[in-house]
């Protein structure tokens, strides 16, 4: 045709100009950090990991957020425990650090301890996030000096 009819706009169902400001204020984006660890009670079969949740999104989260703790041996993760970290979590803020008490004997063969935010122990996320691949942080072994291991 000499003058073709432009039909892209009237017939395209996908919005070509999605307002990214709306996405930034509604989507969630969580990560977790290992802040510290404490091995002073290894002789009593206790090891502590200190973590904190990072809310990387502009949107706040009112409810508690689950965290799963895994022992990683030869690349395979085994669930050790879960906990719920008390909300709310304002946008662009890190949580108050929290301590997790673990049994040294449960970690005997582990190469690492893995904290996973937004995981209730099922391995699946509870919240829909922009990026589900940044929800874990590892603490590598050794966890206790060999002289104090029960």
């Amino acid at each position: 045709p000499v003058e073709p009819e432009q039909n892209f706009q009237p017939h395209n169902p996908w919005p070509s100009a999605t307002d990214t400001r709306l996405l930034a204020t509604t989507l969630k984006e969580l990560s977790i950090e290992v802040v510290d660890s404490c091995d002073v009670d290894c002789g009593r079969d206790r090891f502590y990991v200190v973590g904190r949740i990072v809310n990387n999104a502009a949107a706040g989260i009112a409810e508690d957020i689950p965290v799963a703790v895994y022992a990683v041996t030869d690349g395979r993760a085994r669930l050790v425990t879960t906990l719920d970290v008390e909300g709310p979590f304002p946008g662009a803020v890190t949580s108050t650090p929290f301590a997790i008490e673990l049994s040294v004997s449960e970690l005997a063969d582990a190469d690492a301890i893995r904290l996973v935010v937004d995981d209730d122990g099922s391995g699946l996320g509870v919240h829909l996030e922009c990026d589900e691949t940044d929800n874990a942080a590892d603490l590598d072994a050794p966890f206790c000096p060999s002289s104090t291991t029960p």
Side-chain angles (χ1 to χ4, degrees), residues 1-54:
V2 176
E3 293 186 33
E5 178 186 341
Q6 297 295 326
N7 66 2
F8 180 77
Q9 290 297 327
H11 302 289
N12 180 14
W14 182 256
S16 60
T18 303
D19 187 351
T20 56
R21 293 171 298 175
L22 176 63
L23 295 176
T25 59
T26 58
L27 290 179
K28 299 171 183 171
E29 181 50 35
L30 299 168
S31 61
I32 195 163
E33 299 173 341
V34 175
V35 179
D36 204 354
S37 64
C38 181
D39 63 6
V40 297
D41 273 347
C42 284
R44 290 188 255 177
D45 195 39
R46 291 186 290 217
F47 180 76
Y48 300 90
V49 178
V50 179
R52 70 178 169 200
I53 295 173
V54 182

Side-chain angles (χ1 to χ4, degrees), residues 112-136:
I113 297 169
R114 179 169 296 149
L115 305 183
V116 183
V117 68
D118 190 31
D119 181 354
D120 60 5
S122 66
L124 302 173
V126 176
H127 299 281
L128 178 62
E129 297 181 65
C130 291
D131 182 2
E132 296 283 353
T133 64
D134 64 349
N135 288 5

